[in-house]
Amino acid sequence: TLRAGGEVNDKLAISVYGKVRYMEGYGLISDFDGETVTVPKNDGSGDTTIVNQYTENYEKSLAFTLGFKLKYSLSEKTKFSLNTHFNTMNKGHYTSYDLPLSMSDGFARNDVKVYKDANHNRIVSNLRLDHTFNEIHSVFVRLSTNYEDDYQKLSGGYSVSNGIVDIEVQDNLSVGINDFSFGANYRFVNFDVHDVHDPNTVGYIEPSANESLVGFFLQDKVRIVEDKLDVLVGAKGESY
Protein backbone atom coordinates (compact mmCIF):
# COMPACT_ATOMS: atom_id res chain seq x y z
CA THR A 1 0.00 0.00 0.00
CA LEU A 2 1.29 3.46 -0.90
CA ARG A 3 -0.21 6.85 -0.10
CA ALA A 4 1.20 10.35 -0.64
CA GLY A 5 -0.07 13.88 -1.00
CA GLY A 6 -0.18 17.41 0.25
CA GLU A 7 -0.46 21.05 -0.73
CA VAL A 8 1.52 21.99 -3.83
CA ASN A 9 0.86 25.70 -3.24
CA ASP A 10 -1.84 27.88 -1.70
CA LYS A 11 -4.23 27.00 -4.56
CA LEU A 12 -3.52 23.33 -5.34
CA ALA A 13 -3.57 20.15 -3.22
CA ILE A 14 -3.05 16.63 -4.64
CA SER A 15 -3.03 13.15 -3.13
CA VAL A 16 -2.56 9.70 -4.68
CA TYR A 17 -2.78 6.18 -3.29
CA GLY A 18 -2.32 2.64 -4.54
CA LYS A 19 -2.62 -0.92 -3.31
CA VAL A 20 -1.67 -4.36 -4.64
CA ARG A 21 -2.97 -7.61 -3.19
CA TYR A 22 -2.14 -11.16 -4.31
CA MET A 23 -3.62 -14.44 -3.06
CA GLU A 24 -2.45 -17.74 -4.51
CA GLY A 25 -5.83 -19.29 -3.76
CA TYR A 26 -6.95 -22.41 -1.97
CA GLY A 27 -4.69 -25.16 -3.28
CA LEU A 28 -5.73 -28.56 -4.52
CA ILE A 29 -5.63 -31.51 -2.15
CA SER A 30 -2.60 -33.56 -3.19
CA ASP A 31 -4.59 -36.84 -3.28
CA PHE A 32 -6.96 -35.28 -5.82
CA ASP A 33 -4.28 -33.85 -8.14
CA GLY A 34 -5.09 -35.59 -11.41
CA GLU A 35 -7.82 -36.25 -13.96
CA THR A 36 -9.16 -39.19 -11.95
CA VAL A 37 -8.90 -40.33 -8.35
CA THR A 38 -9.61 -43.65 -6.67
CA VAL A 39 -11.65 -43.39 -3.47
CA PRO A 40 -13.35 -45.91 -1.15
CA LYS A 41 -17.05 -46.53 -1.59
CA ASN A 42 -19.39 -45.33 1.12
CA ASP A 43 -20.62 -48.85 1.86
CA GLY A 44 -17.08 -50.19 2.36
CA SER A 45 -17.38 -52.71 -0.46
CA GLY A 46 -14.22 -51.55 -2.20
CA ASP A 47 -12.89 -48.67 -4.23
CA THR A 48 -14.28 -46.69 -7.14
CA THR A 49 -12.73 -44.28 -9.63
CA ILE A 50 -14.24 -40.82 -10.08
CA VAL A 51 -13.40 -37.95 -12.41
CA ASN A 52 -11.69 -34.98 -10.78
CA GLN A 53 -13.28 -31.75 -12.04
CA TYR A 54 -10.95 -29.46 -10.03
CA THR A 55 -7.73 -28.68 -11.91
CA GLU A 56 -6.82 -25.16 -10.71
CA ASN A 57 -6.30 -23.41 -7.38
CA TYR A 58 -9.58 -21.93 -6.21
CA GLU A 59 -10.09 -18.18 -5.67
CA LYS A 60 -6.59 -17.24 -6.85
CA SER A 61 -6.63 -13.45 -7.21
CA LEU A 62 -4.52 -10.42 -8.11
CA ALA A 63 -6.02 -7.02 -7.25
CA PHE A 64 -4.94 -3.42 -7.88
CA THR A 65 -6.40 -0.22 -6.41
CA LEU A 66 -5.49 3.29 -7.57
CA GLY A 67 -6.85 6.63 -6.42
CA PHE A 68 -6.32 10.30 -7.17
CA LYS A 69 -7.66 13.45 -5.45
CA LEU A 70 -7.24 17.04 -6.52
CA LYS A 71 -8.46 20.35 -5.07
CA TYR A 72 -7.86 23.63 -6.86
CA SER A 73 -8.93 27.19 -6.08
CA LEU A 74 -9.72 29.03 -9.30
CA SER A 75 -10.34 32.13 -7.20
CA GLU A 76 -11.33 33.02 -3.65
CA LYS A 77 -14.94 32.28 -4.55
CA THR A 78 -14.60 29.37 -7.00
CA LYS A 79 -13.31 25.92 -5.99
CA PHE A 80 -12.72 22.86 -8.14
CA SER A 81 -12.29 19.25 -6.97
CA LEU A 82 -11.74 15.87 -8.66
CA ASN A 83 -11.81 12.43 -7.02
CA THR A 84 -11.13 9.25 -9.00
CA HIS A 85 -10.97 5.70 -7.67
CA PHE A 86 -10.13 2.61 -9.74
CA ASN A 87 -9.89 -1.00 -8.67
CA THR A 88 -9.50 -4.19 -10.67
CA MET A 89 -9.23 -7.85 -9.70
CA ASN A 90 -8.47 -10.96 -11.70
CA LYS A 91 -9.88 -13.94 -9.87
CA GLY A 92 -10.07 -17.64 -10.61
CA HIS A 93 -13.60 -18.93 -9.99
CA TYR A 94 -15.05 -22.42 -9.88
CA THR A 95 -18.75 -22.60 -10.57
CA SER A 96 -21.12 -25.43 -11.37
CA TYR A 97 -24.30 -26.02 -13.30
CA ASP A 98 -26.57 -28.95 -14.09
CA LEU A 99 -26.25 -30.55 -17.50
CA PRO A 100 -29.39 -32.56 -18.39
CA LEU A 101 -28.74 -36.14 -19.49
CA SER A 102 -31.06 -38.59 -21.23
CA MET A 103 -31.33 -41.80 -19.22
CA SER A 104 -33.06 -45.05 -20.13
CA ASP A 105 -34.99 -45.00 -16.87
CA GLY A 106 -36.07 -41.36 -17.07
CA PHE A 107 -34.40 -37.98 -16.68
CA ALA A 108 -31.27 -37.15 -14.67
CA ARG A 109 -28.91 -34.21 -14.25
CA ASN A 110 -25.13 -34.14 -14.11
CA ASP A 111 -23.23 -31.56 -12.09
CA VAL A 112 -20.55 -29.91 -14.25
CA LYS A 113 -17.69 -27.76 -12.93
CA VAL A 114 -16.44 -24.73 -14.84
CA TYR A 115 -13.26 -22.78 -14.11
CA LYS A 116 -12.96 -19.21 -15.30
CA ASP A 117 -10.40 -16.43 -14.89
CA ALA A 118 -12.73 -13.47 -14.43
CA ASN A 119 -11.99 -9.75 -14.25
CA HIS A 120 -13.80 -7.44 -11.84
CA ASN A 121 -13.29 -3.74 -12.63
CA ARG A 122 -14.73 -0.52 -11.23
CA ILE A 123 -13.92 3.13 -11.77
CA VAL A 124 -15.68 5.94 -9.92
CA SER A 125 -15.10 9.64 -10.62
CA ASN A 126 -16.54 12.75 -9.03
CA LEU A 127 -15.99 16.21 -10.53
CA ARG A 128 -17.36 19.21 -8.61
CA LEU A 129 -17.34 23.00 -9.04
CA ASP A 130 -18.37 25.28 -6.15
CA HIS A 131 -18.95 29.01 -6.45
CA THR A 132 -19.81 31.42 -3.63
CA PHE A 133 -21.46 34.66 -4.71
CA ASN A 134 -21.55 36.12 -1.21
CA GLU A 135 -22.16 35.08 2.40
CA ILE A 136 -25.79 34.07 1.72
CA HIS A 137 -25.67 32.71 -1.83
CA SER A 138 -23.72 29.75 -3.28
CA VAL A 139 -24.08 27.15 -6.05
CA PHE A 140 -22.39 23.91 -7.03
CA VAL A 141 -22.35 21.64 -10.10
CA ARG A 142 -21.34 17.99 -9.81
CA LEU A 143 -20.61 15.34 -12.46
CA SER A 144 -20.07 11.76 -11.29
CA THR A 145 -19.54 8.49 -13.15
CA ASN A 146 -19.51 4.86 -12.08
CA TYR A 147 -18.52 2.07 -14.46
CA GLU A 148 -18.37 -1.53 -13.28
CA ASP A 149 -17.61 -4.95 -14.78
CA ASP A 150 -18.52 -7.94 -12.66
CA TYR A 151 -18.81 -11.73 -12.94
CA GLN A 152 -21.63 -13.82 -11.51
CA LYS A 153 -21.05 -17.53 -10.86
CA LEU A 154 -24.64 -18.72 -11.37
CA SER A 155 -25.01 -21.66 -13.80
CA GLY A 156 -21.53 -21.63 -15.24
CA GLY A 157 -21.14 -17.89 -14.96
CA TYR A 158 -21.96 -14.70 -16.86
CA SER A 159 -20.64 -11.14 -16.99
CA VAL A 160 -22.46 -7.93 -16.09
CA SER A 161 -21.45 -4.38 -17.05
CA ASN A 162 -23.04 -1.25 -15.57
CA GLY A 163 -22.37 2.37 -16.46
CA ILE A 164 -23.82 5.39 -14.63
CA VAL A 165 -23.48 9.11 -15.40
CA ASP A 166 -24.99 11.55 -12.88
CA ILE A 167 -25.23 15.35 -13.22
CA GLU A 168 -26.44 17.53 -10.33
CA VAL A 169 -26.92 21.28 -9.85
CA GLN A 170 -27.79 22.90 -6.51
CA ASP A 171 -28.39 26.54 -5.54
CA ASN A 172 -28.33 27.62 -1.88
CA LEU A 173 -29.73 30.95 -0.64
CA SER A 174 -30.23 32.28 2.90
CA VAL A 175 -32.95 34.88 3.49
CA GLY A 176 -33.67 35.86 7.07
CA ILE A 177 -34.36 32.72 9.08
CA ASN A 178 -34.74 30.64 5.89
CA ASP A 179 -32.03 28.56 4.19
CA PHE A 180 -33.38 27.70 0.73
CA SER A 181 -31.94 24.93 -1.47
CA PHE A 182 -33.00 24.28 -5.08
CA GLY A 183 -31.63 21.45 -7.16
CA ALA A 184 -31.99 19.29 -10.25
CA ASN A 185 -30.28 16.12 -11.44
CA TYR A 186 -30.09 13.84 -14.46
CA ARG A 187 -28.92 10.21 -14.36
CA PHE A 188 -28.21 7.84 -17.25
CA VAL A 189 -27.70 4.10 -16.66
CA ASN A 190 -26.47 1.48 -19.13
CA PHE A 191 -26.91 -2.22 -18.24
CA ASP A 192 -25.42 -5.14 -20.19
CA VAL A 193 -25.37 -8.90 -19.51
CA HIS A 194 -23.04 -10.95 -21.73
CA ASP A 195 -20.85 -14.07 -21.96
CA VAL A 196 -23.59 -16.28 -20.51
CA HIS A 197 -22.17 -19.79 -20.18
CA ASP A 198 -25.52 -21.59 -20.04
CA PRO A 199 -28.22 -19.50 -21.79
CA ASN A 200 -30.76 -22.29 -21.23
CA THR A 201 -30.61 -21.59 -17.49
CA VAL A 202 -29.82 -17.86 -17.35
CA GLY A 203 -31.99 -15.76 -19.65
CA TYR A 204 -32.73 -12.03 -19.77
CA ILE A 205 -35.60 -10.51 -21.73
CA GLU A 206 -33.42 -7.43 -22.22
CA PRO A 207 -29.77 -8.33 -21.63
CA SER A 208 -28.80 -4.81 -22.73
CA ALA A 209 -30.87 -1.82 -21.64
CA ASN A 210 -30.68 1.91 -20.91
CA GLU A 211 -32.46 3.87 -18.22
CA SER A 212 -32.66 7.59 -17.48
CA LEU A 213 -33.91 9.62 -14.54
CA VAL A 214 -34.70 13.33 -14.22
CA GLY A 215 -35.34 14.85 -10.80
CA PHE A 216 -35.68 18.11 -8.94
CA PHE A 217 -36.05 19.19 -5.33
CA LEU A 218 -36.57 22.28 -3.20
CA GLN A 219 -36.08 22.65 0.53
CA ASP A 220 -36.41 25.33 3.19
CA LYS A 221 -34.59 25.04 6.49
CA VAL A 222 -36.27 27.40 8.96
CA ARG A 223 -34.22 28.35 12.01
CA ILE A 224 -36.88 28.64 14.73
CA VAL A 225 -34.48 28.86 17.68
CA GLU A 226 -30.84 29.54 16.73
CA ASP A 227 -28.64 26.44 17.21
CA LYS A 228 -31.49 24.64 18.99
CA LEU A 229 -34.53 24.12 16.76
CA ASP A 230 -34.85 23.92 12.96
CA VAL A 231 -37.80 22.93 10.79
CA LEU A 232 -37.22 21.38 7.36
CA VAL A 233 -39.86 21.64 4.64
CA GLY A 234 -39.23 20.23 1.19
CA ALA A 235 -40.44 18.43 -1.89
CA LYS A 236 -38.81 16.14 -4.44
CA GLY A 237 -39.99 14.85 -7.79
CA GLU A 238 -38.54 12.28 -10.21
CA SER A 239 -39.38 11.00 -13.66
CA TYR A 240 -37.77 7.74 -14.80
Side-chain angles (χ1 to χ4, degrees), residues 32 34-35 50-56 94 96 110-115:
F32 288 78
E35 294 183 359
I50 61 175
V51 176
N52 180 23
Q53 298 187 70
Y54 297 95
T55 59
E56 301 283 350
Y94 265 111
S96 63
N110 181 34
D111 187 40
V112 176
K113 300 290 185 298
V114 177
Y115 182 85

PDB file of all heavy atoms in Angstrom, residues 32 34-35 50-56 94 96 110-115:
ATOM      1  N   PHE A  32      -6.003 -35.484  -4.736  1.00  0.00           N
ATOM      2  CA  PHE A  32      -6.962 -35.284  -5.822  1.00  0.00           C
ATOM      3  C   PHE A  32      -6.322 -34.566  -7.006  1.00  0.00           C
ATOM      4  O   PHE A  32      -7.006 -34.004  -7.841  1.00  0.00           O
ATOM      5  CB  PHE A  32      -8.153 -34.462  -5.322  1.00  0.00           C
ATOM      6  CG  PHE A  32      -9.059 -35.212  -4.397  1.00  0.00           C
ATOM      7  CD1 PHE A  32      -8.706 -35.397  -3.068  1.00  0.00           C
ATOM      8  CD2 PHE A  32     -10.243 -35.756  -4.853  1.00  0.00           C
ATOM      9  CE1 PHE A  32      -9.530 -36.104  -2.209  1.00  0.00           C
ATOM     10  CE2 PHE A  32     -11.066 -36.463  -4.001  1.00  0.00           C
ATOM     11  CZ  PHE A  32     -10.710 -36.646  -2.675  1.00  0.00           C
ATOM     12  N   GLY A  34      -5.103 -34.735 -10.226  1.00  0.00           N
ATOM     13  CA  GLY A  34      -5.094 -35.586 -11.408  1.00  0.00           C
ATOM     14  C   GLY A  34      -6.455 -35.610 -12.062  1.00  0.00           C
ATOM     15  O   GLY A  34      -7.431 -35.099 -11.515  1.00  0.00           O
ATOM     16  N   GLU A  35      -6.538 -36.214 -13.254  1.00  0.00           N
ATOM     17  CA  GLU A  35      -7.817 -36.247 -13.959  1.00  0.00           C
ATOM     18  C   GLU A  35      -8.800 -37.195 -13.289  1.00  0.00           C
ATOM     19  O   GLU A  35     -10.008 -36.992 -13.349  1.00  0.00           O
ATOM     20  CB  GLU A  35      -7.597 -36.657 -15.415  1.00  0.00           C
ATOM     21  CG  GLU A  35      -6.806 -35.620 -16.225  1.00  0.00           C
ATOM     22  CD  GLU A  35      -6.680 -36.022 -17.675  1.00  0.00           C
ATOM     23  OE1 GLU A  35      -7.183 -37.113 -18.038  1.00  0.00           O
ATOM     24  OE2 GLU A  35      -6.098 -35.253 -18.454  1.00  0.00           O
ATOM     25  N   ILE A  50     -13.395 -41.947  -9.691  1.00  0.00           N
ATOM     26  CA  ILE A  50     -14.241 -40.824 -10.077  1.00  0.00           C
ATOM     27  C   ILE A  50     -13.402 -39.812 -10.844  1.00  0.00           C
ATOM     28  O   ILE A  50     -12.176 -39.778 -10.730  1.00  0.00           O
ATOM     29  CB  ILE A  50     -14.895 -40.157  -8.847  1.00  0.00           C
ATOM     30  CG1 ILE A  50     -13.828 -39.598  -7.900  1.00  0.00           C
ATOM     31  CG2 ILE A  50     -15.817 -41.124  -8.132  1.00  0.00           C
ATOM     32  CD1 ILE A  50     -14.397 -38.814  -6.736  1.00  0.00           C
ATOM     33  N   VAL A  51     -14.079 -38.997 -11.639  1.00  0.00           N
ATOM     34  CA  VAL A  51     -13.405 -37.954 -12.411  1.00  0.00           C
ATOM     35  C   VAL A  51     -13.199 -36.733 -11.529  1.00  0.00           C
ATOM     36  O   VAL A  51     -14.120 -36.293 -10.838  1.00  0.00           O
ATOM     37  CB  VAL A  51     -14.237 -37.582 -13.665  1.00  0.00           C
ATOM     38  CG1 VAL A  51     -13.574 -36.426 -14.415  1.00  0.00           C
ATOM     39  CG2 VAL A  51     -14.380 -38.793 -14.569  1.00  0.00           C
ATOM     40  N   ASN A  52     -11.994 -36.182 -11.548  1.00  0.00           N
ATOM     41  CA  ASN A  52     -11.688 -34.978 -10.784  1.00  0.00           C
ATOM     42  C   ASN A  52     -11.959 -33.757 -11.655  1.00  0.00           C
ATOM     43  O   ASN A  52     -11.320 -33.568 -12.684  1.00  0.00           O
ATOM     44  CB  ASN A  52     -10.218 -34.996 -10.345  1.00  0.00           C
ATOM     45  CG  ASN A  52      -9.845 -33.758  -9.553  1.00  0.00           C
ATOM     46  OD1 ASN A  52     -10.717 -33.106  -8.979  1.00  0.00           O
ATOM     47  ND2 ASN A  52      -8.571 -33.441  -9.535  1.00  0.00           N
ATOM     48  N   GLN A  53     -12.915 -32.936 -11.258  1.00  0.00           N
ATOM     49  CA  GLN A  53     -13.278 -31.750 -12.038  1.00  0.00           C
ATOM     50  C   GLN A  53     -12.538 -30.498 -11.573  1.00  0.00           C
ATOM     51  O   GLN A  53     -12.705 -29.425 -12.148  1.00  0.00           O
ATOM     52  CB  GLN A  53     -14.783 -31.518 -11.953  1.00  0.00           C
ATOM     53  CG  GLN A  53     -15.592 -32.675 -12.534  1.00  0.00           C
ATOM     54  CD  GLN A  53     -17.068 -32.349 -12.589  1.00  0.00           C
ATOM     55  OE1 GLN A  53     -17.494 -31.519 -13.376  1.00  0.00           O
ATOM     56  NE2 GLN A  53     -17.831 -32.979 -11.730  1.00  0.00           N
ATOM     57  N   TYR A  54     -11.709 -30.601 -10.527  1.00  0.00           N
ATOM     58  CA  TYR A  54     -10.949 -29.458 -10.028  1.00  0.00           C
ATOM     59  C   TYR A  54      -9.504 -29.570 -10.503  1.00  0.00           C
ATOM     60  O   TYR A  54      -8.796 -30.504 -10.134  1.00  0.00           O
ATOM     61  CB  TYR A  54     -10.992 -29.409  -8.505  1.00  0.00           C
ATOM     62  CG  TYR A  54     -12.383 -29.220  -7.953  1.00  0.00           C
ATOM     63  CD1 TYR A  54     -13.153 -30.314  -7.559  1.00  0.00           C
ATOM     64  CD2 TYR A  54     -12.939 -27.958  -7.842  1.00  0.00           C
ATOM     65  CE1 TYR A  54     -14.436 -30.142  -7.055  1.00  0.00           C
ATOM     66  CE2 TYR A  54     -14.210 -27.766  -7.347  1.00  0.00           C
ATOM     67  CZ  TYR A  54     -14.952 -28.863  -6.957  1.00  0.00           C
ATOM     68  OH  TYR A  54     -16.213 -28.700  -6.459  1.00  0.00           O
ATOM     69  N   THR A  55      -9.074 -28.636 -11.327  1.00  0.00           N
ATOM     70  CA  THR A  55      -7.729 -28.684 -11.910  1.00  0.00           C
ATOM     71  C   THR A  55      -6.911 -27.427 -11.621  1.00  0.00           C
ATOM     72  O   THR A  55      -5.738 -27.368 -11.983  1.00  0.00           O
ATOM     73  CB  THR A  55      -7.824 -28.868 -13.438  1.00  0.00           C
ATOM     74  OG1 THR A  55      -8.574 -27.776 -13.995  1.00  0.00           O
ATOM     75  CG2 THR A  55      -8.508 -30.175 -13.792  1.00  0.00           C
ATOM     76  N   GLU A  56      -7.512 -26.415 -10.988  1.00  0.00           N
ATOM     77  CA  GLU A  56      -6.816 -25.162 -10.709  1.00  0.00           C
ATOM     78  C   GLU A  56      -7.035 -24.761  -9.252  1.00  0.00           C
ATOM     79  O   GLU A  56      -8.022 -25.155  -8.621  1.00  0.00           O
ATOM     80  CB  GLU A  56      -7.346 -24.032 -11.616  1.00  0.00           C
ATOM     81  CG  GLU A  56      -7.196 -24.291 -13.103  1.00  0.00           C
ATOM     82  CD  GLU A  56      -5.777 -24.071 -13.589  1.00  0.00           C
ATOM     83  OE1 GLU A  56      -4.966 -23.533 -12.801  1.00  0.00           O
ATOM     84  OE2 GLU A  56      -5.477 -24.460 -14.725  1.00  0.00           O
ATOM     85  N   TYR A  94     -14.387 -21.169  -9.522  1.00  0.00           N
ATOM     86  CA  TYR A  94     -15.047 -22.419  -9.885  1.00  0.00           C
ATOM     87  C   TYR A  94     -16.542 -22.217  -9.717  1.00  0.00           C
ATOM     88  O   TYR A  94     -17.004 -21.654  -8.725  1.00  0.00           O
ATOM     89  CB  TYR A  94     -14.606 -23.581  -8.992  1.00  0.00           C
ATOM     90  CG  TYR A  94     -13.470 -24.396  -9.576  1.00  0.00           C
ATOM     91  CD1 TYR A  94     -12.216 -24.376  -9.013  1.00  0.00           C
ATOM     92  CD2 TYR A  94     -13.689 -25.192 -10.699  1.00  0.00           C
ATOM     93  CE1 TYR A  94     -11.177 -25.117  -9.537  1.00  0.00           C
ATOM     94  CE2 TYR A  94     -12.656 -25.938 -11.238  1.00  0.00           C
ATOM     95  CZ  TYR A  94     -11.396 -25.900 -10.652  1.00  0.00           C
ATOM     96  OH  TYR A  94     -10.379 -26.636 -11.187  1.00  0.00           O
ATOM     97  N   SER A  96     -20.528 -24.186 -10.888  1.00  0.00           N
ATOM     98  CA  SER A  96     -21.122 -25.430 -11.373  1.00  0.00           C
ATOM     99  C   SER A  96     -22.510 -25.174 -11.926  1.00  0.00           C
ATOM    100  O   SER A  96     -23.163 -24.191 -11.596  1.00  0.00           O
ATOM    101  CB  SER A  96     -21.194 -26.466 -10.247  1.00  0.00           C
ATOM    102  OG  SER A  96     -22.045 -26.017  -9.212  1.00  0.00           O
ATOM    103  N   ASN A 110     -26.530 -33.910 -14.431  1.00  0.00           N
ATOM    104  CA  ASN A 110     -25.129 -34.135 -14.111  1.00  0.00           C
ATOM    105  C   ASN A 110     -24.480 -32.814 -13.731  1.00  0.00           C
ATOM    106  O   ASN A 110     -24.531 -31.853 -14.491  1.00  0.00           O
ATOM    107  CB  ASN A 110     -24.422 -34.745 -15.338  1.00  0.00           C
ATOM    108  CG  ASN A 110     -22.966 -35.025 -15.063  1.00  0.00           C
ATOM    109  OD1 ASN A 110     -22.608 -35.375 -13.946  1.00  0.00           O
ATOM    110  ND2 ASN A 110     -22.136 -34.881 -16.076  1.00  0.00           N
ATOM    111  N   ASP A 111     -23.873 -32.765 -12.570  1.00  0.00           N
ATOM    112  CA  ASP A 111     -23.232 -31.556 -12.089  1.00  0.00           C
ATOM    113  C   ASP A 111     -21.900 -31.359 -12.814  1.00  0.00           C
ATOM    114  O   ASP A 111     -21.030 -32.227 -12.780  1.00  0.00           O
ATOM    115  CB  ASP A 111     -23.007 -31.660 -10.579  1.00  0.00           C
ATOM    116  CG  ASP A 111     -22.501 -30.372  -9.986  1.00  0.00           C
ATOM    117  OD1 ASP A 111     -22.989 -29.312 -10.394  1.00  0.00           O
ATOM    118  OD2 ASP A 111     -21.621 -30.437  -9.123  1.00  0.00           O
ATOM    119  N   VAL A 112     -21.743 -30.203 -13.468  1.00  0.00           N
ATOM    120  CA  VAL A 112     -20.549 -29.915 -14.252  1.00  0.00           C
ATOM    121  C   VAL A 112     -19.822 -28.721 -13.641  1.00  0.00           C
ATOM    122  O   VAL A 112     -20.435 -27.704 -13.335  1.00  0.00           O
ATOM    123  CB  VAL A 112     -20.910 -29.611 -15.727  1.00  0.00           C
ATOM    124  CG1 VAL A 112     -19.668 -29.210 -16.515  1.00  0.00           C
ATOM    125  CG2 VAL A 112     -21.570 -30.815 -16.361  1.00  0.00           C
ATOM    126  N   LYS A 113     -18.505 -28.839 -13.474  1.00  0.00           N
ATOM    127  CA  LYS A 113     -17.692 -27.764 -12.927  1.00  0.00           C
ATOM    128  C   LYS A 113     -17.074 -26.952 -14.061  1.00  0.00           C
ATOM    129  O   LYS A 113     -16.630 -27.497 -15.064  1.00  0.00           O
ATOM    130  CB  LYS A 113     -16.582 -28.323 -12.045  1.00  0.00           C
ATOM    131  CG  LYS A 113     -17.071 -29.137 -10.852  1.00  0.00           C
ATOM    132  CD  LYS A 113     -17.734 -28.250  -9.836  1.00  0.00           C
ATOM    133  CE  LYS A 113     -18.106 -29.046  -8.595  1.00  0.00           C
ATOM    134  NZ  LYS A 113     -19.076 -30.121  -8.854  1.00  0.00           N
ATOM    135  N   VAL A 114     -17.043 -25.628 -13.867  1.00  0.00           N
ATOM    136  CA  VAL A 114     -16.445 -24.725 -14.845  1.00  0.00           C
ATOM    137  C   VAL A 114     -15.454 -23.824 -14.124  1.00  0.00           C
ATOM    138  O   VAL A 114     -15.771 -23.251 -13.080  1.00  0.00           O
ATOM    139  CB  VAL A 114     -17.518 -23.860 -15.542  1.00  0.00           C
ATOM    140  CG1 VAL A 114     -16.876 -22.874 -16.502  1.00  0.00           C
ATOM    141  CG2 VAL A 114     -18.509 -24.740 -16.279  1.00  0.00           C
ATOM    142  N   TYR A 115     -14.245 -23.691 -14.671  1.00  0.00           N
ATOM    143  CA  TYR A 115     -13.257 -22.782 -14.109  1.00  0.00           C
ATOM    144  C   TYR A 115     -13.089 -21.596 -15.048  1.00  0.00           C
ATOM    145  O   TYR A 115     -12.978 -21.773 -16.254  1.00  0.00           O
ATOM    146  CB  TYR A 115     -11.902 -23.469 -13.922  1.00  0.00           C
ATOM    147  CG  TYR A 115     -10.851 -22.566 -13.302  1.00  0.00           C
ATOM    148  CD1 TYR A 115     -10.768 -22.430 -11.921  1.00  0.00           C
ATOM    149  CD2 TYR A 115      -9.969 -21.846 -14.098  1.00  0.00           C
ATOM    150  CE1 TYR A 115      -9.829 -21.588 -11.343  1.00  0.00           C
ATOM    151  CE2 TYR A 115      -9.018 -21.003 -13.525  1.00  0.00           C
ATOM    152  CZ  TYR A 115      -8.962 -20.871 -12.151  1.00  0.00           C
ATOM    153  OH  TYR A 115      -8.036 -20.046 -11.589  1.00  0.00           O
TER     154      TYR A 115
END
